[in-house]
Amino acid sequence: MARDAATPNGDAPNDAAALPNRVTVVGHGAPASFEITVDGTIEATDGDGTAVVSDHAVEGAIEAGVTRFRFSGGMANAHVLDRTGSERSPTIHVEYGAQ
């Protein structure tokens, strides 16, 4: 039996049950930009305005500190562009089932 494609619930709360996975971008002191896409829904959890969020993708810039997102589904792509070419590029950490 064929299954219908999943449809995100726009009324679902932004919590661990609706968005059970977490991705964290950590800046290490060098200016860089990032883009992350998922095959579900992704939302910013920090609300600090460093990223532009659509239903399935986020992009932003980071130099130092941490930016976090919660998402459903799986990670589709993560891309970091280090503007300095240094060894201090941001790191991306993905946690599935993070509470």
Side-chain angles (χ1 to χ4, degrees):
M1 172 181 246
R3 293 176 52 167
D4 293 334
T7 303
N9 180 355
D11 297 328
N14 182 4
D15 63 11
L19 302 169
N21 309 315
R22 181 173 47 215
V23 60
T24 304
V25 181
V26 181
H28 299 289
S33 57
F34 62 90
E35 179 180 308
I36 299 168
T37 56
V38 299
D39 63 6
T41 301
I42 189 166
E43 293 181 358
T45 60
D46 294 339
D48 60 6
T50 61
V52 176
V53 181
S54 71
D55 285 346
H56 307 289
V58 295
E59 58 184 33
I62 191 166
E63 185 168 344
V66 176
T67 301
R68 292 182 182 89
F69 305 92
R70 291 195 82 70
F71 68 98
S72 62
M75 177 71 67
N77 187 27
H79 180 76
V80 174
L81 176 61
D82 182 350
R83 297 181 198 148
T84 64
S86 71
E87 296 179 10
R88 300 180 300 171
S89 295
T91 52
I92 297 176
H93 304 273
V94 180
E95 299 173 75
Y96 288 96
Q99 296 296 324

